[in-house]
Amino acid sequence: MVSTRQHNGSATLSDVAAAAGVSLATASRALNGSTRRVREDLKDRVLDAAKRLNYSANAQAQAMASGRSNVVGLLVHDIADPYFSSIAGGVMRAAEQHNLLVTLGSTARSAERELDYLAMLRGQRSRSVILAGSRVNDKELIEALRREVSAFGEVGGHVVAISQHRLPVDTIVIENRAGARALAKELSGLGYRRFAVLAGPPELLTARDRVQGFSGGLADATGRLVATIEGTFTRDGGYAAMSELITKNTKVDCVFAVNDVMAVGAMAACRDHGITLPGDLAIAGFDDITTLRDVTPALTTVRLPLEQIGGMALDLVATAEPGAKPRIRRVRAR
């Protein structure tokens, strides 16, 4: 049973039950999200009493009693990146519908930091963790993550990934290759022939998949890839990669940046070097982040329903069943 005593002198669960005129068990179910349904009129009475008494549940006691809390951890690579903040917004909106709380961790694109967060959330008996972001091409890191995911599952936790399907967990797979391939064909159809790619870090699987998809699309069409410049998956990475391309004086008529924040940096580099867009050069991106609404000229990009993806991840959390096989949800990039 959940402890009914608060150590700071505030109202207890027993006080709430008495004020609502219900049993202690009914009050507990109404407040703690039990799988056993409580009649709506009784639930409303309990919630009203809890509000009037300024009742605050002992979350640690709840977790100890039930084996898990109502907290969902969301781990992203970089919360300043609109790609991840949009996903986070979708997760949090969906969490409200399921009476779940979301705690957010930004790993600064460090795989080791991601492992640390996951271990911490396991120790806190979090209900679930959502891992949002690309996996890396590193077998040791993937194996370490597999072990930590397994340990999280052994204590009753559930993991959902928004990334490549590299872990034995529910996964939302974004079809990066197909989206980049379609973009290459579309750009070739518009008359562009000589392309450069701002490729992102080679160890990042999302960057690799988008480069390969784009190259494959050019092979199917009439375009030709004449330069590939690697850079970090950030605005400054895009600026530096575009500046390097300009310095090399590579003759291209269209540049594809493998994500939108790199594309925004590339546009800034063009402006600083006196290159007119789209008159002298065209730039395309991938993700359709909200920031693009304020970018002039408008950026051609591949659209991902980022907030919807966040909601899908939370729904996988809410509908998880112990021992069930991992579910795969695919999202088409348009």
Side-chain angles (χ1 to χ4, degrees):
M1 180 181 293
V2 175
S3 172
T4 63
R5 291 295 167 191
Q6 307 290 307
H7 298 289
N8 57 5
S10 63
T12 68
L13 185 59
S14 294
D15 296 330
V16 173
V22 300
S23 69
L24 186 61
T26 297
S28 177
R29 294 183 193 121
L31 291 170
N32 299 330
S34 170
T35 55
R36 296 182 61 181
R37 291 185 59 83
V38 176
R39 277 184 8 221
E40 285 301 317
D41 61 323
L42 296 181
K43 183 176 181 180
D44 290 343
R45 280 161 50 185
V46 171
L47 294 178
D48 180 66
K51 184 177 181 180
R52 286 188 286 105
L53 295 174
N54 196 28
Y55 170 74
S56 177
N58 187 328
Q60 184 177 11
Q62 288 178 346
M64 291 296 293
S66 65
R68 65 180 184 179
S69 70
N70 67 337
V71 173
V72 176
L74 172 61
L75 304 185
V76 302
H77 288 344
D78 181 4
I79 193 57
D81 186 329
Y83 175 92
F84 293 109
S85 58
S86 294
I87 288 176
V91 169
M92 291 178 179
R93 269 185 284 278
E96 291 182 5
Q97 301 174 11
H98 295 283
N99 196 31
L100 296 173
L101 299 176
V102 178
T103 183
L104 179 65
S106 186
T107 67
R109 300 185 185 275
S110 166
E112 291 82 1
R113 185 63 172 158
E114 185 177 57
L115 289 169
D116 291 341
Y117 270 123
L118 192 51
M120 178 191 70
L121 290 164
R122 171 166 57 88
Q124 293 177 347
R125 297 177 182 261
S126 296
R127 169 175 176 154
S128 297
V129 172
I130 298 172
L131 305 176
S134 175
R135 298 301 98 204
V136 294
N137 189 24
D138 186 316
K139 291 183 178 180
E140 290 187 4
L141 284 175
I142 288 294
E143 185 55 36
L145 187 56
R146 281 177 177 271
R147 290 194 297 268
E148 192 55 54
V149 164
S150 177
F152 192 82
E154 288 174 1
V155 296
H158 183 75
V159 176
V160 174
I162 304 173
S163 105
Q164 294 77 24
H165 188 213
R166 293 291 188 275
L167 299 168
V169 301
D170 289 346
T171 306
I172 297 173
V173 177
I174 297 171
E175 296 185 346
N176 289 301
R177 289 186 188 230
R181 179 182 289 271
L183 175 65
K185 292 180 179 180
E186 180 70 19
L187 293 171
S188 295
L190 292 174
Y192 298 108
R193 293 294 178 266
R194 295 173 59 83
F195 294 86
V197 172
L198 309 186
E203 70 276 7
L204 204 62
L205 295 183
T206 292
R208 183 202 66 183
D209 290 347
R210 292 179 182 180
V211 171
Q212 291 179 353
F214 192 80
S215 299
L218 291 181
D220 293 340
T222 56
R224 184 163 66 94
L225 182 59
V226 298
T228 300
I229 309 294
E230 295 174 359
T232 58
F233 226 45
T234 63
R235 181 267 181 200
D236 291 344
Y239 186 98
M242 189 69 215
S243 297
E244 181 181 341
L245 181 67
I246 294 169
T247 300
K248 290 181 176 179
N249 198 30
T250 305
K251 301 299 182 183
V252 300
D253 53 11
C254 186
V255 173
F256 168 53
V258 294
N259 73 359
D260 284 343
V261 291
M262 290 187 74
V264 170
M267 294 173 74
C270 288
R271 182 186 64 238
D272 291 348
H273 286 84
I275 296 174
T276 301
L277 302 175
D280 298 330
L281 182 69
I283 294 181
F286 199 115
D287 291 334
D288 193 28
I289 58 176
T290 55
T291 307
L292 297 183
R293 298 170 187 171
D294 301 318
V295 171
T296 302
L299 178 70
T300 298
T301 188
V302 177
R303 181 181 180 276
L304 291 176
L306 297 173
E307 292 192 12
Q308 181 182 338
I309 288 170
M312 289 171 60
L314 200 283
D315 286 341
L316 287 173
V317 166
T319 58
E321 296 182 0
K325 293 182 178 180
R327 296 166 290 177
I328 306 298
R329 300 287 185 269
R330 296 190 177 276
V331 176
R332 178 179 297 181
R334 301 179 181 275

